[in-house]
Amino acid sequence: MADLKALIKQGEGISVEFKECRRTLNRDVYETVCAFLNRHGGTLLLGVSDAGAVTGVDTYSVEQIKKDFVTAINNPQKINPACYLSVDEVQIDGETVLHIFVPESSQVHRCNGRILDRNEDGDLDITDHTRLVSDLYHRKQTTYSENKIYPYATLEHLRKDLIAKCRKIAGLQREDHPWPAMDDMELLKSAQLYQTDFETGKSGVTLAGILLLGRDETILSVVPHHRTDLILRRINLDRYDDRDDVRTNLIESYERTMAFIAKHLPDPFYLEGDTRISIRDAIFREVASNILIHREYMNPFPAKLIIERGQVRTENSNKPHGFGLINPANFTPYPKNPVIARFFRQIGRADELGSGVRNLMKYGKTYGGHDPELEEGDIFRILIRVPGFDTSELPVEAQVTPTVTPTVTPTVTPTVTPTVTPTVRVLLELLHKAGESGSTEIRKAFGLKDRVHVHKSYLQPALQSGYIEMTIPDKPNSRLQKYRLTDAGKRLLESMQK
């Protein structure tokens, strides 16, 4: 609020524009959006006069104005290429003001077929100024490496099966999505993965297109250093316990990253309202997207995701727009590879700009007990705390202690209540709500498929600790077998909830 008031007091400029829009959108709103996209981005405030007076948007018109704006900027006949922006309602001096942050784009955009740029005086139509248009294209292509054109790269260097897969997923994401009606080349052009360099006149598949949809040999020919290193390091701290060296397209890289996370990190039972959601996936969906979407691919530094005891660390090369720890309260999202990010959003692999970080902060503390840490710099780093791990979840060979004490203590240690692992705790919470559940119901509730893992990590520790019991104890393998809390389990759960 204070920041916006200071912005209004400062007045309009190259990155700030006011529009009154009392009951309807001004016709030149979209021209300003286009100019911001083409220049350095900016802030658009609807409900403020040119002189900086807060006039407000009519309360009964707010929802229609928001709907009209979002519809128009997603329409390639209005803004081309289409863009994805959100509108936030804020209250200033008792009036409703609509705040729109427009990030700089890696593309050259047109509004109603015209190219607009931004200067201190406002929006400038440069369509008929050949040199200015050429300079604009040159600046975009040198600033964003994802736009680099490879004129000798053709459809034969891409995976047609992967294009077909993305076309199908996009159609499932949105019934009216245009991709299902397009052939492969039309899809590439629509997604800005096939472009023309207006300085040289050459056309071809871009770096973004090759990274997203290329054959492995094509990708490694263009960026031989391309690699995402997924590492589990809990027992063998000098080397690793498990590793996946990923050197493939970004679509399958994302899937392998999420599979590695699902393999090695717990997914606690969590209800949002009456719906169970996976807070693990909500958190690491953003993490996986960050190390793939927002990476500087011209830098040979390999991206890393390292799962350690109690935490996950990531590192990826970056073109920084600041340095130091990011404060979510005043964080301004900046697209590092907008074309790649837009493609990921089309297939449901990423959220709108900024919303992923909000989910990361929203669920991070619940998941691991601490707020995530994000550090901007030449190397972008993320630190996520995760629930304490149980070595029974690791492979059997990793559970073997490497050395054996030569002597045995003659005295017997008194019985100690076993440590309550996160997996046992969420099982107790589930049974407390359900009363009784079979192993299949438990697997479905936790979103797990491995029956052995559920028995080993959830049921067996809880049974051995006396916190749960079988409903048919004399037939442990019965298909009708269910599990319920014992009195000890109920007391333990009550003590943990205090």
Side-chain angles (χ1 to χ4, degrees):
M1 178 72 70
D3 291 343
L4 288 182
K5 284 187 174 181
L7 205 62
I8 294 172
K9 186 176 180 180
Q10 172 187 317
E12 293 182 320
I14 194 169
S15 60
V16 179
E17 181 74 15
F18 306 146
K19 305 289 184 185
E20 288 200 39
C21 302
R22 182 65 184 171
R23 292 185 174 83
T24 59
L25 283 166
N26 297 17
R27 294 179 62 184
D28 58 354
V29 162
Y30 305 111
E31 294 178 357
T32 297
V33 170
C34 182
F36 278 159
L37 289 166
N38 286 337
R39 181 50 55 172
H40 299 306
T43 297
L44 180 60
L45 296 178
L46 310 184
V48 180
S49 72
D50 291 343
V54 179
T55 57
V57 176
D58 180 67
T59 304
Y60 298 103
S61 304
V62 167
E63 290 305 318
Q64 189 61 47
I65 287 177
K66 289 168 64 175
K67 182 179 178 180
D68 290 345
F69 178 82
V70 172
T71 300
I73 63 168
N74 280 276
N75 180 0
Q77 293 182 336
K78 174 61 72 174
I79 299 286
N80 188 23
C83 59
Y84 305 88
L85 304 175
S86 59
V87 184
D88 296 320
E89 289 182 45
V90 293
Q91 295 296 317
I92 301 178
D93 299 335
E95 297 285 354
T96 299
V97 173
L98 299 183
H99 170 233
I100 303 165
F101 172 71
V102 183
E104 179 182 356
S105 174
S106 68
Q107 304 297 298
V108 173
H109 292 261
R110 295 172 181 261
C111 177
N112 296 323
R114 309 297 292 177
I115 300 175
L116 292 106
D117 203 352
R118 184 80 179 173
N119 63 17
E120 292 291 349
D121 298 323
D123 309 322
L124 179 65
D125 187 341
I126 64 171
T127 311
D128 300 323
H129 298 269
T130 307
R131 185 185 61 80
L132 294 178
V133 172
S134 177
D135 289 346
L136 179 57
Y137 274 99
H138 179 72
R139 178 167 59 83
K140 295 290 187 181
Q141 289 173 353
T142 54
T143 302
Y144 293 92
S145 56
E146 66 171 355
N147 284 339
K148 183 177 179 180
I149 292 171
Y150 293 84
Y152 297 106
T154 68
L155 281 172
E156 296 304 315
H157 296 95
L158 306 181
R159 281 182 46 186
K160 293 189 175 183
D161 64 311
L162 201 55
I163 297 174
K165 175 181 177 179
C166 293
R167 179 188 288 113
K168 181 178 180 180
I169 294 173
L172 293 173
Q173 291 289 317
R174 206 181 84 199
E175 289 185 4
D176 61 343
H177 202 288
W179 286 3
M182 296 180 180
D183 62 29
D184 290 353
M185 182 55 73
E186 288 172 336
L187 189 152
L188 292 182
K189 290 180 178 180
S190 171
Q192 299 297 304
L193 304 180
Y194 186 98
Q195 296 185 34
T196 298
D197 184 340
F198 284 85
E199 190 173 28
T200 65
K202 293 182 178 180
S203 299
V205 179
T206 63
L207 176 61
I210 291 173
L211 287 167
L212 284 163
L213 303 168
R215 297 178 182 274
D216 288 357
E217 59 270 21
T218 304
I219 295 172
L220 296 179
S221 175
V222 170
V223 276
H225 51 265
H226 170 56
R227 175 160 65 98
T228 304
D229 206 358
L230 310 175
I231 300 171
L232 174 71
R233 188 180 287 145
R234 282 173 171 166
I235 302 299
N236 189 343
L237 303 183
D238 295 327
R239 202 157 179 261
Y240 55 82
D241 305 308
D242 193 11
R243 184 180 187 182
D244 189 2
D245 186 3
V246 183
R247 300 172 187 257
T248 190
N249 63 78
L250 301 189
I251 307 301
E252 293 178 335
S253 291
Y254 175 89
E255 293 169 355
R256 283 170 63 174
T257 300
M258 292 303 293
F260 192 85
I261 288 165
K263 179 180 179 183
H264 295 298
L265 290 178
D267 193 11
F269 185 77
Y270 181 85
L271 287 176
E272 195 161 75
D274 295 328
T275 305
R276 180 184 186 267
I277 68 167
S278 170
I279 56 172
R280 179 195 63 195
D281 289 355
I283 293 167
F284 287 98
R285 169 190 171 92
E286 169 62 16
V287 172
S289 295
N290 183 79
I291 61 177
L292 296 171
I293 293 175
H294 302 302
R295 187 191 312 181
E296 175 45 59
Y297 282 96
M298 289 290 113
N299 189 323
F301 184 85
K304 302 183 185 74
L305 182 144
I306 306 171
I307 301 175
E308 300 173 318
R309 297 183 180 183
Q311 66 180 28
V312 176
R313 294 187 293 112
T314 72
E315 298 178 345
N316 60 277
S317 56
N318 181 44
K319 277 189 176 178
H321 292 271
F323 289 87
L325 290 175
I326 290 175
N327 181 356
N330 56 20
F331 168 67
T332 299
Y334 190 94
K336 307 299 174 57
N337 291 304
V339 173
I340 294 174
R342 189 181 306 119
F343 194 93
F344 263 61
R345 287 195 294 271
Q346 295 297 313
I347 59 173
R349 297 291 190 269
D351 298 314
E352 293 298 324
L353 190 64
S355 60
V357 172
R358 289 194 290 271
N359 283 337
L360 189 64
M361 305 309 297
K362 177 181 178 181
Y363 300 117
K365 190 169 185 178
T366 301
Y367 188 67
H370 299 271
D371 288 326
E373 296 177 11
L374 294 81
E375 183 180 359
E376 176 100 34
D378 292 327
I379 304 300
F380 192 93
R381 293 180 170 89
I382 300 177
L383 177 66
I384 307 289
R385 306 290 182 179
V386 299
F389 77 100
D390 180 358
T391 55
S392 67
E393 297 180 17
L394 298 175
V396 174
E397 58 270 19
Q399 300 174 31
V400 180
T401 306
T403 56
V404 180
T405 306
T407 58
V408 178
T409 305
T411 57
V412 178
T413 304
T415 302
V416 179
T417 302
T419 301
V420 180
T421 64
T423 53
V424 169
R425 176 168 182 163
V426 295
L427 175 62
L428 299 184
E429 291 172 348
L430 172 66
L431 294 179
H432 174 68
K433 293 183 176 103
E436 296 179 354
S437 288
S439 61
T440 300
E441 296 167 318
I442 293 170
R443 289 205 314 274
K444 288 181 178 178
F446 294 154
L448 301 172
K449 296 181 180 179
D450 190 337
R451 180 182 57 81
V452 175
H453 170 65
V454 170
H455 181 76
K456 185 177 181 180
S457 300
Y458 291 79
L459 296 173
Q460 190 173 355
L463 285 166
Q464 290 176 347
S465 302
Y467 298 143
I468 69 171
E469 63 185 5
M470 299 179 185
T471 56
I472 314 176
D474 55 335
K475 294 182 179 180
N477 297 322
S478 171
R479 64 182 180 83
L480 302 178
Q481 187 67 261
K482 291 183 181 292
Y483 302 88
R484 63 191 172 208
L485 289 177
T486 62
D487 290 339
K490 293 175 183 177
R491 288 195 299 272
L492 176 67
L493 196 57
E494 288 174 0
S495 67
M496 289 191 297
Q497 292 174 342
K498 287 182 180 179

